Amino acid sequence: MTSSGVLTGKHFFQGDEACAEGAIAAGCRFFGGYPITPSTEIAERLAHRFPEIGGVFIQMEDEMGSMAAVLGASAAGARAMTATSGPGFSLMMENIGLAVMMELPCVVVNVQRGSPSTGLPTLPGQSEVMQARWGSHGDYGLAAFSPWSPQEMFDLTIHSFNVADRYRIPILLMADEVVGHMVERVVIPREDQITRWERKRPDPNNKDAFEPFLAEDPDLVPPLAYAGEGYRVHFTGLTHDELGYPDMSAETHHRLVTRLVEKINYNSEKIVQTEDHFMDDARIVVVSYGSTARSARRAVKDARQEGIPVGFLRLVSLWPFPTNQIRELADHVDSFIVAEMNLGQMALEVERHVRRPVTGVHHAGGAMMAPDRILDAIREVANTGYTHLR
Amino acid sequence: MRVFARTPIDWAEVRVPRGQVYLIPERCKGCNICVEFCPQDVLQVSDQTNAKGYHLPEIATGKERACVHCEFCSIVCPEFAIFTLEVDE
Amino acid sequence: MRCYAQAILDSGIPQDNHVVVSGIGCSGRVAGYMKIDSYHTTHGRAIPFAVGLKLANPELTVTVFSGDGDLAAIGGNHLIHAARRNVDISVICANNFNYGMTGGQLGPTTPFGARTTTSPYGSPELPFNLPYLLAASGANFVARWTTIHVRQLKRDILYMFSKPGFSFVEVLVPCPVGFGKMNFIDEGLDEMLLYKERCVIADGIPIDELGIDLRTDQPIYVGRFIDRDLAPYRPVRLEDIE
């Protein structure tokens, strides 16, 4: 193991474990969390590994404290993370909003379980994808990724820290119990092969003139100063001006909130990530993400065996939504099928961007979706001339 | 007979400091805490008011030299409106 | 805040190393008035934010400055746990007996029987005895002063900076508009005079008798109550174990 804790080599990891190793590989050295099935293994592994590499693990008294501690650590300059599931995810929402307003980078892993409420603690669900987008109060933007394998739990955790740091936003890693608890091969590269996007930092020799929330670059991202560096910054959840001090005027509010939202839209090409197959002759496209996408891929392959021209689109990033890609697809396909472990959430997002029928293959959660259910839907849509809207 | 009353040993060297009171009138909210708690009763409420209509403290007659720069008024003032500077004699 | 600022100046610790974290409420606004690194967080979450910040950079002197409602009501869970863990941060709790920012509602320290906009017939609740709560939770340093005990307060804030572990000082603060007027303390000056008359330095008073009851003529005990040296919270380091 290198001094930086990167466990280069091939492993047989549980998803949660791989996520923890991804955090370490990304240089995360602060974890504040609270036990909740099915994410606890992430905390457990970091509690075991951080003392070896000088990281700080603290189990807080609740999820609100966890999220606040993560932001405090981020304000001090650390790469900081927490992990939770549905119930904790809801409790963290207010401070995720604070992360947006203070523009403090952080990563929140949500290993989704059957929801709502206590739901199915040990079983999978994907019904928090809309909460991931709109869970906190107000207009705001952030990014969310959805891993579908332990390998991606590793890779996307690293990517989440990079995107969080680059754009000073909270990143929500929306896994689910299947991906979190399944064990698969995970290949960890050498330390020097791990990409690291650095944070934009202020110019140390004009500290007095530094405006912590002035975004001079077109990407709308201001440089980030840490506590203790002499910039005498002020971070507040109140609407603030470029100096960071409270300003209750409507114009300042509009300017600030618009920037926070535009920061995502402007940079969305660099954040959006999808994977697609069999698009050349596709007349139907199956859209899916997370563990359900594994069944969807199986179903698409089977359908193609039966001669049905169906393509496969996996959302690696849930938010920002791949609007352009979906719209282009809609120009030359006749119908969409959205397979997800909820009663229709990303389906709504697909529907609002395409002038095509969108069929949902939905299940409230609790079990991985069987490929045949998706295959049946593909056949049905194919049999009805691709225009069937159910 | 020499009176051996208790005179402090360093009575000759030690000098009671003297202070000059300064006010930032627009910050004053007329709470009169400084007037009440000045240990030397240097201040009193004046008829003068600031733009917001709060009555400002002023040096009481005969107390022009009474301030000993203890800074109690400046520390206890909730609005940072009053302070003293030491005056060398 | 003046005492806190003065203590910073006298601390000998470079101002760049001082960090103030405050929550929501009138005293939550303190962070916005201090030319040091300052973080104005969400309601009740100043302490965990400060804990994260301190643990990520132990070189910093991190002080939480917030109110009774923010720290002891919505933030109560974090208050007792940070004290239990004895995290090396200092907390200044401005206790004005009510939620002043929102116009004077009942708070966790509102004295029994006191009127507020949400206890118009007199508070039916017994308040926290904050020193007792913090002592029981495990803080290394617990004190209570008022805005008239400015010298002792500044001295103790200064002391808290160098005191390892969790340090807590409760400061009684006048709030004529939010609390005083409804409880026969019309002006800020009247509450200051009340402090002057009723405050007694608590020598040998059992800590569970430090509760505040404005109705009777029982004294308001102030002073230093706890000053001990339980081990401050330290993240686990492998080299410490071997």
Side-chain angles (χ1 to χ4, degrees), chain B residues 36-54:
Chain B
E36 175 64 35
F37 290 103
C38 168
Q40 305 293 333
D41 297 321
V42 168
L43 302 166
Q44 68 184 15
V45 182
S46 73
D47 312 333
Q48 246 191 332
T49 61
N50 64 12
K52 297 177 203 144
Y54 290 121

PDB file of all heavy atoms in Angstrom, chain B residues 36-54:
ATOM      1  N   GLU B  36     -24.931  54.664  33.620  1.00  0.00           N
ATOM      2  CA  GLU B  36     -25.259  54.003  34.896  1.00  0.00           C
ATOM      3  C   GLU B  36     -24.024  53.371  35.525  1.00  0.00           C
ATOM      4  O   GLU B  36     -23.810  53.445  36.736  1.00  0.00           O
ATOM      5  CB  GLU B  36     -26.322  52.919  34.619  1.00  0.00           C
ATOM      6  CG  GLU B  36     -26.685  52.072  35.813  1.00  0.00           C
ATOM      7  CD  GLU B  36     -27.346  52.877  36.918  1.00  0.00           C
ATOM      8  OE1 GLU B  36     -28.094  53.811  36.582  1.00  0.00           O
ATOM      9  OE2 GLU B  36     -27.074  52.604  38.103  1.00  0.00           O
ATOM     10  N   PHE B  37     -23.201  52.735  34.694  1.00  0.00           N
ATOM     11  CA  PHE B  37     -22.160  51.875  35.289  1.00  0.00           C
ATOM     12  C   PHE B  37     -20.774  52.495  35.311  1.00  0.00           C
ATOM     13  O   PHE B  37     -19.814  51.844  35.689  1.00  0.00           O
ATOM     14  CB  PHE B  37     -22.132  50.542  34.547  1.00  0.00           C
ATOM     15  CG  PHE B  37     -23.357  49.704  34.826  1.00  0.00           C
ATOM     16  CD1 PHE B  37     -24.381  49.606  33.892  1.00  0.00           C
ATOM     17  CD2 PHE B  37     -23.490  49.065  36.042  1.00  0.00           C
ATOM     18  CE1 PHE B  37     -25.520  48.861  34.166  1.00  0.00           C
ATOM     19  CE2 PHE B  37     -24.635  48.305  36.327  1.00  0.00           C
ATOM     20  CZ  PHE B  37     -25.647  48.205  35.386  1.00  0.00           C
ATOM     21  N   CYS B  38     -20.636  53.745  34.880  1.00  0.00           N
ATOM     22  CA  CYS B  38     -19.305  54.355  34.961  1.00  0.00           C
ATOM     23  C   CYS B  38     -18.915  54.470  36.446  1.00  0.00           C
ATOM     24  O   CYS B  38     -19.631  55.108  37.226  1.00  0.00           O
ATOM     25  CB  CYS B  38     -19.318  55.767  34.352  1.00  0.00           C
ATOM     26  SG  CYS B  38     -17.823  56.684  34.719  1.00  0.00           S
ATOM     27  N   PRO B  39     -17.823  53.861  36.847  1.00  0.00           N
ATOM     28  CA  PRO B  39     -17.471  53.842  38.279  1.00  0.00           C
ATOM     29  C   PRO B  39     -17.188  55.231  38.843  1.00  0.00           C
ATOM     30  O   PRO B  39     -17.301  55.457  40.040  1.00  0.00           O
ATOM     31  CB  PRO B  39     -16.217  52.954  38.326  1.00  0.00           C
ATOM     32  CG  PRO B  39     -15.714  52.854  36.945  1.00  0.00           C
ATOM     33  CD  PRO B  39     -16.847  53.135  36.033  1.00  0.00           C
ATOM     34  N   GLN B  40     -16.885  56.172  37.969  1.00  0.00           N
ATOM     35  CA  GLN B  40     -16.565  57.532  38.444  1.00  0.00           C
ATOM     36  C   GLN B  40     -17.725  58.488  38.182  1.00  0.00           C
ATOM     37  O   GLN B  40     -17.565  59.708  38.347  1.00  0.00           O
ATOM     38  CB  GLN B  40     -15.310  58.060  37.722  1.00  0.00           C
ATOM     39  CG  GLN B  40     -14.121  57.144  37.841  1.00  0.00           C
ATOM     40  CD  GLN B  40     -13.609  57.070  39.271  1.00  0.00           C
ATOM     41  OE1 GLN B  40     -13.774  58.022  40.051  1.00  0.00           O
ATOM     42  NE2 GLN B  40     -13.045  55.950  39.660  1.00  0.00           N
ATOM     43  N   ASP B  41     -18.852  57.942  37.728  1.00  0.00           N
ATOM     44  CA  ASP B  41     -20.034  58.788  37.410  1.00  0.00           C
ATOM     45  C   ASP B  41     -19.669  59.963  36.523  1.00  0.00           C
ATOM     46  O   ASP B  41     -20.118  61.089  36.739  1.00  0.00           O
ATOM     47  CB  ASP B  41     -20.689  59.291  38.703  1.00  0.00           C
ATOM     48  CG  ASP B  41     -21.217  58.118  39.512  1.00  0.00           C
ATOM     49  OD1 ASP B  41     -21.740  57.181  38.864  1.00  0.00           O
ATOM     50  OD2 ASP B  41     -21.040  58.104  40.735  1.00  0.00           O
ATOM     51  N   VAL B  42     -18.846  59.698  35.543  1.00  0.00           N
ATOM     52  CA  VAL B  42     -18.375  60.773  34.655  1.00  0.00           C
ATOM     53  C   VAL B  42     -19.502  61.225  33.730  1.00  0.00           C
ATOM     54  O   VAL B  42     -19.572  62.377  33.324  1.00  0.00           O
ATOM     55  CB  VAL B  42     -17.201  60.235  33.785  1.00  0.00           C
ATOM     56  CG1 VAL B  42     -16.877  61.199  32.670  1.00  0.00           C
ATOM     57  CG2 VAL B  42     -15.996  59.962  34.668  1.00  0.00           C
ATOM     58  N   LEU B  43     -20.412  60.297  33.405  1.00  0.00           N
ATOM     59  CA  LEU B  43     -21.366  60.596  32.325  1.00  0.00           C
ATOM     60  C   LEU B  43     -22.755  60.902  32.869  1.00  0.00           C
ATOM     61  O   LEU B  43     -23.130  60.455  33.957  1.00  0.00           O
ATOM     62  CB  LEU B  43     -21.441  59.379  31.382  1.00  0.00           C
ATOM     63  CG  LEU B  43     -20.121  58.957  30.743  1.00  0.00           C
ATOM     64  CD1 LEU B  43     -20.231  57.581  30.112  1.00  0.00           C
ATOM     65  CD2 LEU B  43     -19.716  59.990  29.704  1.00  0.00           C
ATOM     66  N   GLN B  44     -23.490  61.621  32.067  1.00  0.00           N
ATOM     67  CA  GLN B  44     -24.923  61.833  32.360  1.00  0.00           C
ATOM     68  C   GLN B  44     -25.668  61.896  31.033  1.00  0.00           C
ATOM     69  O   GLN B  44     -25.040  62.068  29.982  1.00  0.00           O
ATOM     70  CB  GLN B  44     -25.113  63.146  33.127  1.00  0.00           C
ATOM     71  CG  GLN B  44     -24.795  64.379  32.264  1.00  0.00           C
ATOM     72  CD  GLN B  44     -24.889  65.674  33.046  1.00  0.00           C
ATOM     73  OE1 GLN B  44     -24.922  65.687  34.274  1.00  0.00           O
ATOM     74  NE2 GLN B  44     -24.904  66.771  32.317  1.00  0.00           N
ATOM     75  N   VAL B  45     -26.978  61.731  31.107  1.00  0.00           N
ATOM     76  CA  VAL B  45     -27.772  61.748  29.875  1.00  0.00           C
ATOM     77  C   VAL B  45     -27.935  63.194  29.430  1.00  0.00           C
ATOM     78  O   VAL B  45     -28.226  64.066  30.259  1.00  0.00           O
ATOM     79  CB  VAL B  45     -29.170  61.121  30.106  1.00  0.00           C
ATOM     80  CG1 VAL B  45     -29.950  61.104  28.807  1.00  0.00           C
ATOM     81  CG2 VAL B  45     -29.022  59.724  30.687  1.00  0.00           C
ATOM     82  N   SER B  46     -27.701  63.478  28.174  1.00  0.00           N
ATOM     83  CA  SER B  46     -27.771  64.875  27.712  1.00  0.00           C
ATOM     84  C   SER B  46     -29.076  65.105  26.973  1.00  0.00           C
ATOM     85  O   SER B  46     -29.826  64.165  26.689  1.00  0.00           O
ATOM     86  CB  SER B  46     -26.612  65.127  26.738  1.00  0.00           C
ATOM     87  OG  SER B  46     -26.928  64.455  25.512  1.00  0.00           O
ATOM     88  N   ASP B  47     -29.340  66.388  26.669  1.00  0.00           N
ATOM     89  CA  ASP B  47     -30.553  66.709  25.898  1.00  0.00           C
ATOM     90  C   ASP B  47     -30.281  66.470  24.414  1.00  0.00           C
ATOM     91  O   ASP B  47     -31.184  66.352  23.611  1.00  0.00           O
ATOM     92  CB  ASP B  47     -30.938  68.197  26.070  1.00  0.00           C
ATOM     93  CG  ASP B  47     -30.916  68.561  27.553  1.00  0.00           C
ATOM     94  OD1 ASP B  47     -31.129  67.599  28.333  1.00  0.00           O
ATOM     95  OD2 ASP B  47     -30.624  69.698  27.900  1.00  0.00           O
ATOM     96  N   GLN B  48     -29.028  66.388  24.100  1.00  0.00           N
ATOM     97  CA  GLN B  48     -28.648  66.200  22.684  1.00  0.00           C
ATOM     98  C   GLN B  48     -29.110  64.830  22.207  1.00  0.00           C
ATOM     99  O   GLN B  48     -28.957  63.835  22.941  1.00  0.00           O
ATOM    100  CB  GLN B  48     -27.123  66.240  22.594  1.00  0.00           C
ATOM    101  CG  GLN B  48     -26.537  67.384  21.862  1.00  0.00           C
ATOM    102  CD  GLN B  48     -25.037  67.124  21.645  1.00  0.00           C
ATOM    103  OE1 GLN B  48     -24.402  66.427  22.432  1.00  0.00           O
ATOM    104  NE2 GLN B  48     -24.511  67.654  20.563  1.00  0.00           N
ATOM    105  N   THR B  49     -29.644  64.766  20.991  1.00  0.00           N
ATOM    106  CA  THR B  49     -30.041  63.442  20.464  1.00  0.00           C
ATOM    107  C   THR B  49     -29.334  63.218  19.132  1.00  0.00           C
ATOM    108  O   THR B  49     -28.942  64.181  18.464  1.00  0.00           O
ATOM    109  CB  THR B  49     -31.560  63.401  20.192  1.00  0.00           C
ATOM    110  OG1 THR B  49     -31.837  64.405  19.212  1.00  0.00           O
ATOM    111  CG2 THR B  49     -32.351  63.671  21.453  1.00  0.00           C
ATOM    112  N   ASN B  50     -29.214  61.954  18.769  1.00  0.00           N
ATOM    113  CA  ASN B  50     -28.628  61.690  17.444  1.00  0.00           C
ATOM    114  C   ASN B  50     -29.759  61.635  16.410  1.00  0.00           C
ATOM    115  O   ASN B  50     -30.938  61.820  16.738  1.00  0.00           O
ATOM    116  CB  ASN B  50     -27.802  60.399  17.465  1.00  0.00           C
ATOM    117  CG  ASN B  50     -28.659  59.164  17.754  1.00  0.00           C
ATOM    118  OD1 ASN B  50     -29.883  59.237  17.726  1.00  0.00           O
ATOM    119  ND2 ASN B  50     -28.008  58.064  18.090  1.00  0.00           N
ATOM    120  N   ALA B  51     -29.399  61.320  15.170  1.00  0.00           N
ATOM    121  CA  ALA B  51     -30.398  61.369  14.080  1.00  0.00           C
ATOM    122  C   ALA B  51     -31.594  60.474  14.393  1.00  0.00           C
ATOM    123  O   ALA B  51     -32.721  60.756  14.010  1.00  0.00           O
ATOM    124  CB  ALA B  51     -29.746  60.923  12.774  1.00  0.00           C
ATOM    125  N   LYS B  52     -31.329  59.415  15.158  1.00  0.00           N
ATOM    126  CA  LYS B  52     -32.453  58.496  15.434  1.00  0.00           C
ATOM    127  C   LYS B  52     -33.261  58.959  16.637  1.00  0.00           C
ATOM    128  O   LYS B  52     -34.209  58.294  17.047  1.00  0.00           O
ATOM    129  CB  LYS B  52     -31.911  57.090  15.700  1.00  0.00           C
ATOM    130  CG  LYS B  52     -31.191  56.474  14.508  1.00  0.00           C
ATOM    131  CD  LYS B  52     -30.621  55.098  14.889  1.00  0.00           C
ATOM    132  CE  LYS B  52     -29.457  54.717  13.977  1.00  0.00           C
ATOM    133  NZ  LYS B  52     -28.410  53.983  14.714  1.00  0.00           N
ATOM    134  N   GLY B  53     -32.816  60.065  17.257  1.00  0.00           N
ATOM    135  CA  GLY B  53     -33.580  60.597  18.373  1.00  0.00           C
ATOM    136  C   GLY B  53     -33.191  60.012  19.714  1.00  0.00           C
ATOM    137  O   GLY B  53     -33.887  60.190  20.704  1.00  0.00           O
ATOM    138  N   TYR B  54     -32.042  59.300  19.756  1.00  0.00           N
ATOM    139  CA  TYR B  54     -31.628  58.769  21.054  1.00  0.00           C
ATOM    140  C   TYR B  54     -30.823  59.822  21.807  1.00  0.00           C
ATOM    141  O   TYR B  54     -29.981  60.518  21.230  1.00  0.00           O
ATOM    142  CB  TYR B  54     -30.747  57.523  20.852  1.00  0.00           C
ATOM    143  CG  TYR B  54     -31.514  56.325  20.332  1.00  0.00           C
ATOM    144  CD1 TYR B  54     -31.162  55.724  19.110  1.00  0.00           C
ATOM    145  CD2 TYR B  54     -32.585  55.805  21.035  1.00  0.00           C
ATOM    146  CE1 TYR B  54     -31.860  54.621  18.642  1.00  0.00           C
ATOM    147  CE2 TYR B  54     -33.282  54.700  20.557  1.00  0.00           C
ATOM    148  CZ  TYR B  54     -32.927  54.120  19.360  1.00  0.00           C
ATOM    149  OH  TYR B  54     -33.607  53.043  18.888  1.00  0.00           O
TER     150      TYR B  54
END
